[in-house]
Amino acid sequence: MSLKDQFGKDVLLTGWGHSRFGKLTDETLESLIVQVATEAIGNAGIEPGQIDEIYLGQFNSGMMPLAFPSSLALQVSEQLANVPATRLENACASGSAAFQQGTKSLLAGTAKTVLVIGAEKMTHAAADVVGAALLGADYDMAGKASTTGFTGLFAEVAKHYGKRYGSSVGNLGDVLGTIAAKNHRNGVDNPYAQLRKDLGEEFCRTVSDKNPMVADPLRRTDCSPVSDGAAAVVLSVSPTAGVTAPVRLAGFGHANDFFPAERRDPTAFAATRVSWERALAMAGVGIEDLDFAEVHDCFTIAELLMYEAMGLTEPGQGVRAIEEGWVFKDGKLPVNVSGGLKAKGHPVGATGVSQHVIAAMQLTGTAGDMQLASPRRAAVQNMGGVGIANYVSVLEAV
């Protein structure tokens, strides 16, 4: 069973574009959207007039005065005049929300070619504005003052995890430091990444002036940076005259959890697990059939929990994936070869689309220095809030 078996048609990624991530002072939201959309359309080998619908993932939440950017993609070409365009918002999963909505338009038959864009401008805003915007994605902290912001929320997850599984985890700080070091090392090879420096395990594991504690036990190196950036992908029901072979969407899953923290097990990420199960089931594969994964490591504790949510290890055993080398670039399931959100950056609305683009590059052998040896199948996982809105895609080389 696969998506095509279930719905009777293919969903193909036929073209893509990706900006640099980082503090892009010379770029605007509009220029980033136009850049990646133009690149994706050209990469797909189509004319702008062949686009039937546009979906834009953007969080914003007060970080920018312009709160109605859906038509910015029309600036690419006069041929896009009157094309339906919609903004999707689902916190840090806004990009994947746009991707899945585009997918559903193809499956519904209302479109044959869809342009999906994820974009965000954040670095121009003051730290307190960004912090308040991100906290708007939490039921209990929205609108409240906080000195640690979203880092504090995931620090609480880490504390609960350490308390529950401490005997099997060992030194949780060291485990998280190793994950940070892995992703920083991977980010060196990603030309789009914001942080391209191999910091080493010792630095990432140690609290120092350059790596202060943000919210115990999370240090600066355990946190993804504030970023600007954009990515775009063209989705089609049949191959186009693209510059590379297309990539097939084999399955997808989406699950939301209850919003109040009191209704969730802080270490289970239950809806995240369901989104994985749904995507793998639709694709007709298991975790052992994947060649790599790009997952939502907004904080290192999130990546550790993802090893468990995806079924790579049992609950409380995620450290095995690190200790036994499974998730490193040469391991049995490389995770975040791009550097992840940790090193690549996290312009929140762009992240989900970026993950799909990076995976497509890997599957078409066009990932440059990031390239793995002939991968055939991948998973992308993106979430909003503390495991609230969860999206997973399974992609395959054609």
Side-chain angles (χ1 to χ4, degrees):
M1 179 64 72
S2 68
L3 181 150
K4 187 174 183 180
D5 296 328
Q6 184 170 336
F7 294 99
K9 61 177 70 175
D10 259 330
V11 173
L12 301 174
L13 288 70
T14 54
W16 42 83
H18 202 297
S19 78
R20 289 191 304 109
F21 281 7
K23 187 173 184 178
L24 309 180
T25 55
D26 294 332
E27 300 285 357
T28 64
L29 183 67
E30 180 179 333
S31 69
L32 287 168
I33 288 172
V34 170
Q35 174 194 332
V36 297
T38 301
E39 185 180 350
I41 292 168
N43 186 261
I46 62 173
E47 292 298 319
Q50 293 175 259
I51 300 294
D52 298 314
E53 294 181 7
I54 300 168
Y55 291 100
L56 170 66
Q58 185 215 20
F59 179 48
N60 192 352
S61 190
M63 289 184 287
M64 287 196 66
L66 180 64
F68 181 47
S70 54
S71 278
L72 289 180
L74 274 58
Q75 301 294 79
V76 170
S77 170
E78 291 290 331
Q79 295 180 41
L80 291 175
N82 303 317
V83 171
T86 305
R87 172 187 173 230
L88 277 293
E89 189 285 307
N90 221 1
C92 297
S94 296
S96 286
F99 181 91
Q100 285 202 11
Q101 192 59 47
T103 294
K104 291 173 182 178
S105 289
L106 298 184
L107 296 178
T110 58
K112 293 183 179 179
T113 306
V114 172
L115 174 63
V116 177
I117 306 165
E120 206 78 64
K121 276 286 289 183
M122 303 174 69
T123 65
H124 64 283
D128 61 333
V129 173
V130 174
L134 295 176
L135 280 177
D138 185 74
Y139 180 88
D140 301 289
M141 289 301 299
K144 296 180 180 178
S146 172
T147 58
T148 57
F150 234 80
T151 308
L153 300 180
F154 274 88
E156 288 302 309
V157 171
K159 289 175 183 176
H160 281 290
Y161 187 87
K163 187 178 296 184
R164 181 174 295 181
Y165 300 116
S167 59
S168 58
V169 175
N171 188 320
L172 179 59
D174 284 354
V175 174
L176 300 181
T178 299
I179 293 173
K182 169 183 73 71
N183 292 346
H184 274 288
R185 187 161 53 248
N186 288 346
V188 172
D189 295 328
N190 184 351
Y192 305 112
Q194 180 171 354
L195 305 174
R196 300 186 66 189
K197 186 176 182 179
D198 184 354
L199 298 178
E201 284 194 24
E202 183 177 355
F203 180 85
C204 292
R205 287 179 167 190
T206 306
V207 176
S208 64
D209 290 342
K210 292 185 178 181
N211 189 26
M213 189 72 75
V214 180
D216 190 22
L218 302 182
R219 299 145 297 208
R220 180 178 291 166
T221 50
D222 293 305
C223 311
S224 58
V226 172
S227 316
D228 306 326
V233 62
V234 173
L235 301 179
S236 310
V237 293
S238 58
T240 61
V243 299
T244 69
V247 170
R248 176 178 290 113
L249 177 64
F252 62 89
H254 174 200
N256 270 52
D257 211 336
F258 294 105
F259 212 1
E262 65 182 18
R263 299 198 64 181
R264 289 178 277 117
D265 181 328
T267 67
F269 277 45
T272 311
R273 182 180 297 273
V274 171
S275 65
W276 275 98
E277 292 169 351
R278 288 174 176 168
L280 293 171
M282 184 184 292
V285 300
I287 194 73
E288 68 280 358
D289 298 309
L290 301 177
D291 295 311
F292 69 95
E294 288 288 324
V295 309
H296 194 97
D297 63 321
C298 50
F299 301 94
T300 50
I301 184 62
E303 179 167 328
L304 180 64
L305 284 166
M306 210 50 55
Y307 304 156
E308 301 173 12
M310 71 170 73
L312 188 58
T313 75
E314 293 297 316
Q317 297 294 319
V319 66
R320 289 187 60 203
I322 288 290
E323 292 178 343
E324 300 184 27
W326 300 347
V327 294
F328 290 86
K329 195 169 183 178
D330 58 354
K332 70 176 185 179
L333 183 66
V335 172
N336 287 335
V337 175
S338 68
L341 286 59
K342 175 77 266 298
K344 182 179 61 176
H346 184 28
V348 290
T351 287
V353 182
S354 166
Q355 291 173 312
H356 286 85
V357 169
I358 294 293
M361 289 177 176
Q362 286 283 358
L363 294 170
T364 54
T366 58
D369 290 339
M370 293 183 284
Q371 188 64 52
L372 295 167
S374 304
R376 301 297 298 170
R377 186 178 291 115
V380 166
Q381 180 269 331
N382 183 206
M383 70 181 177
V386 186
I388 302 298
N390 303 273
Y391 296 82
V392 175
S393 298
V394 177
L395 305 177
E396 296 177 341
V398 174

